[in-house]
């Protein structure tokens, strides 16, 4: 894949971000260590880290079609863990002191200040990623993943404060280590086992807005969608913090119970269902976009059909390993990733995301690189299965060679579900982009798909 040259401006931004994250990490380590003490900090960290692998795995499970680069995932997690917590802790403590000086309840900080600064800072990291690496965003699923990891990092460090400070340190100070351990377990059950989804749920609202903006060419949508998502995240977070505040002020436990069970839990399951549906919908992007390359002779209908679901992708990897060993398995994985990237690239072009000539030229270069990568990966497993017929795909029909030596044309099936790789004709030019995009002579109407849309 052609890489974007690292200019001095981008190098300066990258250096500044790294220094900012490192400085905030040192600040949080010093602050927590000073307020909690070494023993409480160690206990709180050990307990807070326990759910992190599970939560991270849930978000990575959403991103199996086109996994994001590890460096961007680490950036979002580190941003939420250190930058967001450092800024939020400073602002919240300042606001709490101001409320106290004014004779107002300090609990107002949790309702009027914390939701706004915390959601803003958690989302700012993915926003920077969208601004500087928009081509890495494939849609709403990526927004959920990036914002979710930022929220997980934030929740991890916040839980260190609660588990180590309000749990272990307070219990040890009052009654001894046994009480401290009991309070750690109690807070762990409430904050992590019961409500560990809270921060990822709030910030996922902003992730939806960022994902919509990433795949839209309308500047109004690119501005208002993230703003709307961020405001929704702030309101949901504020409502969450308001429930225990009202319960403490009135003594009515039913307020929290009705709020959690009647409002927050349905929103959580609704978001889970939306995320699963979005993953399946974005996973079928290859089915909607790659037929252009089938007609141009770069791909065959069975190959596109084998990319349309995780089950078919797994079956294709099993087949590749059977006929070509571990090298075939690695080649099939690379082939599937390159084909998905190609579908995302073309979908972005048809949406008009590349407005500048330099972006359009880069898209054309990436398309060529991906097409040649697909051809190279295919060479590892094409023709290795003795049970598959030998054939050629010319962009319209198959030309199969039978055991008696005869060769006959065969039309593409209406539902091409058998992933039979065939030899392609010499590489043709890429399919035409929409009018107004690409090189002269590539314009023209969009031809019909070689099979009915929405097949399974």
């Amino acid at each position: 894949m052609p890489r974007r040259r690292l200019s001095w401006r981008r190098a300066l931004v990258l250096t500044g971000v790294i220094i900012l994250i490192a400085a905030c990490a040192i600040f949080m380590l010093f602050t927590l260590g000073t307020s909690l003490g070494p023993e409480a900090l160690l206990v709180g960290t050990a307990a807070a880290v326990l759910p992190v692998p599970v939560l991270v795995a849930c978000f990575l499970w959403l991103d199996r079609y086109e996994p994001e680069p590890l460096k961007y995932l680490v950036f979002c997690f580190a941003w939420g863990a250190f930058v967001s917590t450092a800024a939020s802790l400073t602002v919240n403590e300042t606001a709490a002191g101001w409320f106290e000086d004014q004779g107002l309840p300090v609990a107002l900080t949790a309702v009027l200040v914390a939701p706004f600064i915390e959601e803003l800072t958690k989302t700012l990291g993915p926003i920077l990623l969208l601004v500087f690496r928009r081509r890495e965003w494939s849609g709403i699923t990526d927004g959920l993943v990036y914002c979710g990891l930022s929220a997980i990092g934030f929740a991890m460090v916040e839980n260190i404060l609660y588990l180590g400070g309000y749990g272990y340190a307070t219990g040890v100070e009052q009654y001894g280590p046994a009480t401290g351990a009991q309070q750690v377990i109690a807070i762990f059950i409430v904050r992590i086992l019961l409500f560990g989804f809270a921060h990822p749920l709030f910030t996922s609202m902003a992730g939806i807005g960022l994902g919509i903006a990433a795949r839209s060419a309308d500047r109004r949508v690119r501005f208002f969608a993230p703003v709307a998502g961020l405001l929704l995240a702030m309101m949901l977070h504020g409502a969450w913090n308001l429930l225990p505040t009202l319960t403490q002020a009135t003594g009515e436990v039913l307020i929290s119970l009705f709020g959690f069970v009647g409002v927050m839990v349905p929103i959580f399951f609704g978001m889970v269902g939306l995320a699963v549906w979005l993953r399946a919908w974005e996973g079928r992007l290859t089915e909607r976009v790659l037929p252009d390359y089938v007609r141009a002779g770069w791909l065959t209908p069975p190959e596109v059909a084998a990319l349309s679901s995780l089950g078919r992708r797994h079956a294709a990897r099993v087949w590749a390993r059977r006929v070509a060993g571990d090298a075939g398995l690695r080649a099939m994985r690379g082939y599937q990733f390159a084909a998905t990237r190609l579908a995302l690239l073309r979908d972005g072009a048809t949406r008009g995301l590349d407005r500048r000539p330099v972006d359009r030229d880069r898209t054309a270069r990436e398309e060529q690189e991906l097409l040649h990568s697909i051809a190279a990966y295919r060479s590892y497993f094409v023709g290795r299965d003795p049970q598959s017929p030998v054939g050629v795909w010319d962009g319209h029909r198959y030309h199969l060679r039978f055991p008696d030596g005869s060769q006959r044309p065969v039309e593409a099936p209406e539902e091409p579900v058998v992933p039979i790789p065939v030899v392609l004709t010499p590489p043709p030019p890429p399919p035409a982009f929409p009018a107004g995009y690409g090189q002269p002579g590539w314009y023209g109407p969009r031809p019909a798909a070689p099979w009915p849309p929405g097949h399974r």
Side-chain angles (χ1 to χ4, degrees):
M1 290 290 296
R3 297 182 179 273
R4 180 179 297 182
R5 186 175 61 181
L6 187 63
S7 63
W8 68 268
R9 294 179 180 176
R10 294 185 179 277
L12 185 62
V13 171
L14 178 61
T15 303
V17 168
I18 293 176
I19 293 176
L20 176 62
I21 292 176
C24 291
I26 296 173
F27 171 78
M28 290 303 300
L29 180 62
F30 175 79
T31 302
L32 293 178
T34 302
S35 61
L36 303 182
E39 186 178 5
L41 178 61
L42 182 61
V43 172
T45 301
V49 168
L50 284 178
V52 170
V54 178
L55 294 173
V56 170
C58 291
F59 281 95
L60 296 184
W61 175 80
L62 288 176
D63 202 30
R64 292 175 61 189
Y65 280 103
E66 195 255 338
E68 303 309 314
L70 179 61
K71 57 184 178 181
Y72 299 144
L73 301 178
V74 172
F75 163 75
C76 288
F77 182 87
W79 182 277
F82 303 121
V83 179
S84 179
T85 53
S88 299
L89 180 63
T90 303
V91 173
N92 288 338
E93 288 185 346
T94 303
W98 185 85
F99 283 132
E100 188 175 9
D101 293 340
Q102 299 298 317
L104 298 174
V106 177
L108 291 176
T109 306
V111 180
L112 301 180
V113 179
F116 299 94
I117 185 61
E118 291 178 8
E119 295 306 322
L120 177 62
T121 54
K122 282 188 292 182
T123 309
L124 186 58
I127 288 177
L128 292 176
L129 196 61
L130 177 62
V131 172
F132 291 98
R133 287 293 184 268
R134 180 183 59 81
R135 302 175 77 91
E136 295 297 335
W137 288 66
S138 61
I140 299 177
T141 300
D142 285 359
L144 294 176
V145 171
Y146 287 137
C147 289
L149 289 180
S150 179
I152 292 172
F154 181 94
M156 180 189 72
V157 176
E158 187 183 55
N159 286 333
I160 294 175
L161 178 62
Y162 279 90
L163 293 166
Y166 302 137
Y168 186 79
T170 302
V172 169
E173 182 180 353
Q174 292 178 347
Y175 301 105
T179 302
Q182 291 177 355
Q183 293 188 179
V184 168
I185 294 175
I187 295 176
F188 185 91
I189 292 174
V190 174
R191 284 193 60 86
I192 295 177
L193 295 185
L194 295 181
F195 306 124
F197 63 86
H199 277 290
L201 176 64
F202 306 149
T203 317
S204 65
M205 303 299 170
I208 293 176
L210 293 177
I212 293 174
R215 305 302 290 180
S216 175
D218 191 325
R219 292 187 177 182
R220 293 169 297 181
V221 174
R222 296 170 78 167
F223 175 78
F224 286 108
V227 171
L230 182 58
L231 290 177
L232 184 58
M234 292 175 177
M235 289 188 292
L236 190 62
H237 193 162
W240 176 273
N241 289 351
L242 180 63
L243 293 175
T245 303
L246 291 177
T247 299
Q248 185 177 7
T250 61
E252 294 291 340
V253 181
L254 290 179
I255 294 178
S256 292
L257 181 62
F258 288 151
F260 293 148
V261 177
V263 179
M264 296 301 174
V265 172
I267 292 177
F268 168 72
F269 283 107
M271 180 57 65
V272 171
L274 175 64
V276 173
W277 179 82
L278 284 172
R279 190 187 76 152
W281 184 85
E282 292 185 358
R284 291 192 293 271
L285 179 67
T286 55
E287 191 179 59
R288 300 189 296 270
V289 175
L290 292 184
D292 291 345
Y293 296 92
V294 172
R295 288 181 288 266
W298 280 97
L299 300 171
T300 66
E303 288 179 311
V304 175
L307 293 166
S308 60
S309 69
L310 290 175
R312 291 181 181 179
R313 292 187 180 212
H314 176 72
R317 291 194 295 268
V318 171
W319 172 85
R321 186 170 190 174
R322 177 174 63 83
V323 301
D326 291 337
L329 174 62
R330 291 191 297 269
M332 180 59 76
R333 286 175 175 167
Y335 168 87
Q336 292 172 345
F337 178 77
T340 305
R341 292 283 301 180
L342 181 64
L344 290 169
L345 193 71
R346 186 167 185 83
D347 179 67
T350 57
R351 290 173 180 268
L353 300 184
D354 298 325
R355 294 178 176 273
R356 300 180 302 172
V358 63
D359 292 331
R360 293 196 290 268
D361 292 340
R362 187 165 185 259
T363 295
R365 292 195 305 271
E366 288 187 8
E367 181 189 46
Q368 290 288 345
E369 290 286 338
L370 287 169
L371 288 172
H372 288 293
S373 296
I374 288 172
Y377 285 129
R378 186 191 287 113
S379 65
Y380 278 87
F381 43 79
V382 164
R384 292 178 180 263
D385 189 354
Q387 300 178 2
S388 298
V390 179
V392 174
W393 172 258
D394 64 3
H396 302 281
R397 60 184 62 84
Y398 296 103
H399 299 272
L400 300 182
R401 187 179 302 117
F402 293 89
D404 60 358
S406 63
Q407 182 170 322
R408 295 193 299 271
V410 177
E411 297 293 333
E414 292 186 358
E415 296 187 1
V417 296
V418 182
I420 301 176
V422 298
V423 180
L424 299 178
T425 55
F433 281 107
Y437 184 97
Q439 301 174 0
W442 285 14
Y443 314 142
R446 185 184 184 91
W451 57 79
H455 74 275
R456 298 289 183 270

